[in-house]
Amino acid sequence: MGRGNMVEQLQKLVARYGDREQKPVRFRPETWRRWLEPYGATHVLDAGVECTGGASGDRLIGRGDLARLRDRVDGDDPDSLRDLFVAVMIWGSGTTNGRGPRYTGAALSDPDRTTVLRATREAVREGDLSGAYQRFVLKGVGRSFFTKWFAAVDDREAPSERALILDDRVFRSLNALGWTSWQAAGTRHWPTRYAAYVSTMHDWASATGVTADWLEWLLFHLNGDVDAA
């Protein structure tokens, strides 16, 4: 699909959903506690704010909470890296991904955890998104979640093309719009495809007058239902 046609489709979606914004995610601390206790990370469960509705003890965590944790990260301090990673996994799982706590526990038990988190954070902050993708190998964590890690650790300012999340819901919307990452990248090499996705999304965001992370959220929200386009 040509760039012009894709931008036209996205402009229709932006016009329809432009007043929407991403809301914080609800999570249940007690569901996570036993998976975090062995690693001294239960204090991360205090992130965000208490939920006024729903089950007692539920909390809300949003991107702003992740940014505050990111700003406290010391690359030489494995505990601060761990805390941000746990918060990202909680935010990404909410109450709908019942496997999230178990997968987080698996990642925390990985002997390469600190090395992988530190190396990929550095690669992202240097703009080497393909390299970060290639280096992220932790038990229990696939693309949908480690690209959330990339987005969370990226503190670069514009005009840098900051890392974005590429999960199954985003992919579903992209495919429904007729865009495929391997064609855009000219290869089936996943690290290259991810970098091409990020660059393309920033290009589309600029053309449609929105931020790239908002556009990413919109594609996530739509989950393939792009009929408005």
Side-chain angles (χ1 to χ4, degrees):
M1 175 182 294
R3 177 183 182 277
N5 190 18
M6 187 66 172
V7 169
E8 182 180 338
Q9 291 189 87
L10 290 173
Q11 283 174 330
K12 292 178 182 178
L13 291 172
V14 169
R16 180 173 178 180
Y17 296 98
D19 60 344
R20 308 281 183 90
E21 61 181 17
Q22 185 171 18
K23 296 179 180 178
V25 174
R26 192 175 89 252
F27 73 98
R28 197 152 292 150
E30 291 311 308
T31 302
W32 290 81
R33 194 168 303 279
R34 74 184 181 94
W35 299 99
L36 303 183
E37 280 178 343
Y39 309 100
T42 56
H43 58 276
V44 181
L45 297 173
D46 294 330
V49 297
E50 189 172 353
C51 192
T52 56
S56 176
D58 282 7
R59 296 184 69 82
L60 296 172
I61 184 171
R63 286 201 190 215
D65 299 299
L66 300 183
R68 283 185 283 276
L69 280 171
R70 178 195 67 211
D71 292 343
R72 294 183 213 151
V73 168
D74 177 349
D76 295 324
D77 175 19
D79 289 349
S80 64
L81 288 168
R82 175 206 62 203
D83 290 352
L84 177 56
F85 172 74
V86 168
V88 169
M89 295 296 286
I90 291 172
W91 176 75
S93 299
T95 57
T96 59
N97 187 344
R99 297 168 294 180
R102 175 163 52 90
Y103 289 164
T104 302
L108 291 174
S109 73
D110 194 311
D112 293 328
R113 180 192 77 204
T114 298
T115 299
V116 169
L117 294 181
R118 181 181 290 127
T120 55
R121 172 178 177 264
E122 290 174 355
V124 167
R125 296 174 82 211
E126 291 169 359
D128 183 11
L129 300 185
S130 177
Y133 193 108
Q134 194 151 0
R135 291 174 205 163
F136 199 103
V137 181
L138 281 184
K139 290 188 292 185
V141 186
R143 181 195 67 237
S144 291
F145 277 86
F146 67 66
T147 57
K148 290 178 174 69
W149 167 253
F150 296 165
V153 300
D154 198 340
D155 57 0
R156 294 176 295 155
E157 301 292 338
S160 298
E161 294 183 346
R162 291 180 59 172
L164 299 169
I165 298 166
L166 181 57
D167 64 11
D168 291 343
R169 291 173 64 103
V170 173
F171 235 129
R172 204 167 286 124
S173 293
L174 288 169
N175 289 339
L177 288 165
W179 186 86
T180 55
S181 60
W182 69 266
Q183 288 181 327
T187 177
R188 293 190 181 274
H189 181 244
W190 266 110
T192 305
R193 290 165 69 176
Y194 173 67
Y197 154 76
V198 171
S199 182
T200 302
M201 285 283 283
H202 279 273
D203 180 38
W204 289 337
S206 177
T208 54
V210 298
T211 64
D213 60 341
W214 185 88
L215 186 59
E216 165 222 288
W217 168 79
L218 176 61
L219 296 179
F220 171 88
H221 174 72
L222 294 174
N223 192 24
D225 183 10
V226 297
D227 290 343

